[in-house]
Structure formats: structure tokens, C-alpha cells
Amino acid sequence: MISINTENIKGKNTKFPLFFMDNSNEYKKYQNNLRNISISNALNDYANSHKLVSVFITLTSEDHNDNKLLAKNDLSRIFQYLQKDLKKSDIINFGIKSFEKNKNNIYHMHIILFCLKEDIEKIQKITAKYFKNEINKNELSFQKVIRETTQHIIQYIHKIEFNNDTSKQESNLISYSEISFFGIEKIIKEYDRIYKKDFSEIDFERYQKLGILDNIKRDLKIHNIIKSKKIFTALAELGAFTKLSKKINSKRWKQQRVNSHEIRKLFSKKTSTYKMPLCLTLERDNSENTNITKKERLNYLSYIPPPFER
């Protein structure tokens, strides 16, 4: 695939294929890896634009370390329950999942989860209750991420490794992280369809007669946006964030409404003031008091009546 001088190769294994890839399935995984990194960075840009924070969660398989399929199913099942609990608690979240095997041959799932800052502690409590072993309850299994380091973690979870055979001049895929996204609209198939579509020869008259010219123009627009590497804009055009943005804005509006209501309660004047007795009536046998409002009392104090003549 790539022509390169073998003398410049420092190591046999790299993150990139240095030669021709004979296996088409492996080449597809390599292309998907590049696409997933671009989409993940776009999710990070979206989170930053809405002033969201991220947490890094590592869920490790506790029962099926020797079987990839069972470990994957187990972790996926737990993650589904986790998502249901977050939804019940009205916690907005979205992000990236990566399923892989670590150096000790134990399968685990990395999760970059974007959320509101005030929901982090709730998310941690909900996550912890699904595991019994300390391997999922240590300080590394749930980490708050500084905004500037999120992009580095994105690079970390998108693992891919190639074996570059200099004698055969070919590259073979060794390991590959299975990446998926959650909390946004499912647009990956549509993204791939538009990106791979050939727009070099477009018969506008034919598409006009078929009544799908507007759809072709939309696809062409998104295709050009992807080609120009404006992935955030492309995802927005595909509607990936439409429902999510409504949820975020709705929750923030409710929070502001509650907060402003509490502030008004603290600083607003009382609607009715206690009426204080002005003085006793002149008739001694009448024990009732004359009550006035605060405004009336102030007006009364500003006027000094003449001495009473008996």
C-alpha cells in the first residue's frame, strides 16, 4: 500500500501499515480506525462547545477472561444496564467505547463518557454497584479527565498494531480495538455511504426527473465537508447531535429556572408584611388594636400629630 525505504524502518511493529496490505478485511479495519479517530475527536469538540466534562471508565471482565465472546457479551450487558440507570436518573451522557485485551490477556472495555460536571459523582456510584471485584473498584477504573487530556485518551483507546515484514514487503494487522459510539444518533453507515460515494459523474437531469436531486445535493455537501476534514460539521449535518442538543439545553434551562427561583426566594420582598399595632384606641374599654401595613406605619411616623386634648 505504501512504498517506503526499508532502511528507515526502526521497528518491526508499528501503528501504521508500511507496505501493501494483502488482506482486504484488515485494510478495512485500518480505514475504520482512521474514521473512528476523526469521529471521536469531533465528539470531543462537541462536548467542549457545550462545556461538558469527560470521565474515563475501564470495565474489566470478572468471569470470562479466557473467552473473548463471553467477556464481550458480559461487559456489553453490564454497560446496557448502566445506561438504563443513567437514563432513569436523568443523567445526560454520550461517548466512545473500546473493547480490547490488555497485556495480561484480560478483556476489558474502555469508555470515554461526556457528561455534565454535576453528574460525575452520581455516575461513579451507579457504575460501582455493578461490580464485586476490586479490579473494577480501584482508582484507575473511574477517572475524572482534564479537558486538555481527553484527546490523548482518545488516541490511547484507538489501538491498532501492524507487523511490517521487510522481506516480503507487506503489512499484516496484529491487534485492533473494537470501537463504537453511544448517546448519539446512529450515523456511521450513512457517514460511510456518503464518504465512499463517487460524485465525479452526476447526471443532474436524471436525478431531477427521479425527484431525488435535493438528496444528492445534500450528500454531495456532506461528502465535501468530510473531505475537508470538518468532521464535527459533517456529523451535525447528518443529525448526530439533534436530539442530544435538545436534551442538554432542556436540562440546563430547568437548572437555571430552579436556581433563579431559589435566588428570588432568598432576595425578594415578602408579598405581605406583618401588621403592627399602632396604638390603643382612645376608649379604654375597647381592647382591639388598630393594625396598619409597613407603608402606612412609615407614613404615620413621618407625621407627628398634635397633643391630644382631654
Side-chain angles (χ1 to χ4, degrees), residues 148-190:
E148 289 75 14
T149 62
T150 303
Q151 199 164 9
H152 298 292
I153 297 176
I154 289 173
Q155 295 291 332
Y156 171 74
I157 69 172
H158 290 77
K159 292 186 178 71
I160 191 168
E161 189 176 12
F162 292 92
N163 180 284
N164 299 291
D165 194 328
T166 55
S167 60
K168 294 182 179 180
Q169 295 282 299
E170 66 178 24
S171 297
N172 297 305
L173 183 66
I174 300 174
S175 62
Y176 172 77
S177 297
E178 299 178 30
I179 301 293
S180 60
F181 305 97
F182 63 93
I184 63 172
E185 294 300 305
K186 296 180 179 180
I187 47 83
I188 300 299
K189 289 184 178 179
E190 185 73 356

Side-chain angles (χ1 to χ4, degrees), residues 26-42:
E26 291 181 359
Y27 180 74
K28 182 180 179 181
K29 288 182 178 180
Y30 168 63
Q31 292 295 320
N32 288 345
N33 177 262
L34 298 178
R35 176 204 64 197
N36 291 337
I37 292 175
S38 297
I39 292 177
S40 298
N41 287 326

Side-chain angles (χ1 to χ4, degrees), residues 94-244:
F94 66 96
I96 312 146
K97 290 189 300 178
S98 172
F99 182 76
E100 61 185 46
K101 183 169 65 172
N102 64 11
K103 294 180 180 179
N104 297 324
N105 292 327
I106 298 175
Y107 291 99
H108 59 275
M109 180 185 291
H110 286 313
I111 301 167
I112 298 177
L113 187 145
F114 299 99
C115 61
L116 298 175
K117 187 176 182 180
E118 54 268 26
D119 290 333
I120 290 180
E121 302 302 328
K122 296 178 185 177
I123 295 171
Q124 187 171 16
K125 289 180 181 178
I126 292 173
T127 305
K129 77 177 185 180
Y130 282 104
F131 298 96
K132 54 184 180 293
N133 293 348
E134 288 300 321
I135 195 171
N136 282 304
K137 294 184 178 182
N138 56 41
E139 60 183 6
L140 298 178
S141 61
F142 192 99
Q143 302 177 62
K144 300 177 184 178
V145 180
I146 301 173
R147 179 174 293 181
E148 289 75 14
T149 62
T150 303
Q151 199 164 9
H152 298 292
I153 297 176
I154 289 173
Q155 295 291 332
Y156 171 74
I157 69 172
H158 290 77
K159 292 186 178 71
I160 191 168
E161 189 176 12
F162 292 92
N163 180 284
N164 299 291
D165 194 328
T166 55
S167 60
K168 294 182 179 180
Q169 295 282 299
E170 66 178 24
S171 297
N172 297 305
L173 183 66
I174 300 174
S175 62
Y176 172 77
S177 297
E178 299 178 30
I179 301 293
S180 60
F181 305 97
F182 63 93
I184 63 172
E185 294 300 305
K186 296 180 179 180
I187 47 83
I188 300 299
K189 289 184 178 179
E190 185 73 356
Y191 180 99
D192 287 341
R193 180 189 69 81
I194 293 173
Y195 176 67
K196 296 174 182 178
K197 191 170 183 178
D198 184 12
F199 291 91
S200 59
E201 296 180 2
I202 301 177
D203 190 345
F204 289 98
E205 292 184 1
R206 178 172 173 270
Y207 289 135
Q208 183 70 44
K209 291 178 182 178
L210 293 174
I212 59 172
L213 183 59
D214 290 340
N215 295 336
I216 298 299
K217 287 182 177 179
R218 170 187 171 271
D219 289 354
L220 178 58
K221 176 184 177 182
I222 296 174
H223 177 83
N224 291 333
I225 292 173
I226 296 173
K227 285 289 187 179
S228 61
K229 298 182 179 180
K230 298 177 181 178
I231 310 302
F232 181 13
T233 306
L235 296 183
E237 289 287 339
L238 287 168
F241 308 121
T242 304
K243 292 182 180 180
L244 181 61

